[in-house]
Amino acid sequence: MTDPRIRRIRPEDVDAVVELVYALAEFERAPDECHLEAPQLHKALFGPAPALFGHVAEVDGQVAGFTLWFLSFSTWRGSHGIYLEDLFVRAELRGSGLGKALLAALAAECVEQGYERLEWAVLNWNPAVGFYRALGALPQDEWTTYRLTNAPLKALASGS
């Protein structure tokens, strides 16, 4: 059953989602690392070849939470999956079921499209870890995420 508070993101939601992305960065103790601007998000979601997708949770006509996600691919399963880049619900609405409803919308997307995975990363100290485990999500402790950004990314690209 679809939760009526959850829907696909629309162009008019972009400003509110950007605001929530900044709130997420603050929550994750990294506000100085967030540089997202509304035109960037709008282009990623609604440009000629969108590779980013999203859902919002709406309460009393206001965007109260969101997910941003993209497709991944498992060579072992031979199937796409969803990689959840961000999930955020305003602090005052946590515990209201919005987070679960947002994840349920992504799980439904996986089932409807034949995708075999829904994956995401979470900071170890995030209290949501207990919530995710209660849903049956399991940490992948045997894998370590690596990331190239900034100067190291540019150096590798240039052959340095």
Side-chain angles (χ1 to χ4, degrees):
M1 174 140 223
T2 305
D3 188 312
R5 301 172 297 176
I6 309 303
R7 62 173 171 76
R8 283 288 188 123
I9 193 170
R10 297 189 287 237
E12 60 267 23
D13 300 321
V14 168
D15 289 336
V17 171
V18 169
E19 177 187 323
L20 291 177
V21 168
Y22 278 86
L24 172 61
E26 186 76 34
F27 172 79
E28 291 187 349
R29 305 173 187 161
D32 295 338
E33 294 180 39
C34 188
H35 305 286
L36 180 66
E37 295 180 6
Q40 293 171 306
L41 184 57
H42 188 276
K43 181 179 178 185
L45 288 163
F46 305 108
L52 182 69
F53 309 93
H55 287 76
V56 295
E58 197 172 59
V59 175
D60 298 327
Q62 301 295 315
V63 175
F66 74 95
T67 61
L68 291 173
W69 55 274
F70 53 88
L71 294 181
S72 60
F73 187 82
S74 169
T75 55
W76 289 13
R77 290 184 173 253
S79 172
H80 282 302
I82 287 177
Y83 187 86
L84 173 60
E85 178 67 20
D86 288 325
L87 180 150
F88 186 77
V89 173
R90 290 189 188 277
E92 64 272 16
L93 292 168
R94 292 186 193 136
S96 68
L98 287 177
K100 184 175 182 180
L102 284 162
L103 281 173
L106 297 186
E109 184 88 22
C110 286
V111 171
E112 289 166 13
Q113 300 298 326
Y115 304 155
E116 295 192 32
R117 286 186 181 170
L118 173 56
E119 296 180 295
W120 63 93
V122 61
L123 292 164
N124 291 332
W125 56 261
N126 188 326
V129 167
F131 163 65
Y132 297 140
R133 285 179 187 256
L135 293 175
L138 299 174
Q140 301 297 297
D141 294 333
E142 67 274 14
W143 295 89
T144 300
T145 301
Y146 284 84
R147 179 177 293 155
L148 277 173
T149 62
N150 303 326
L153 178 66
K154 291 175 183 170
L156 181 59
S158 70
S160 299

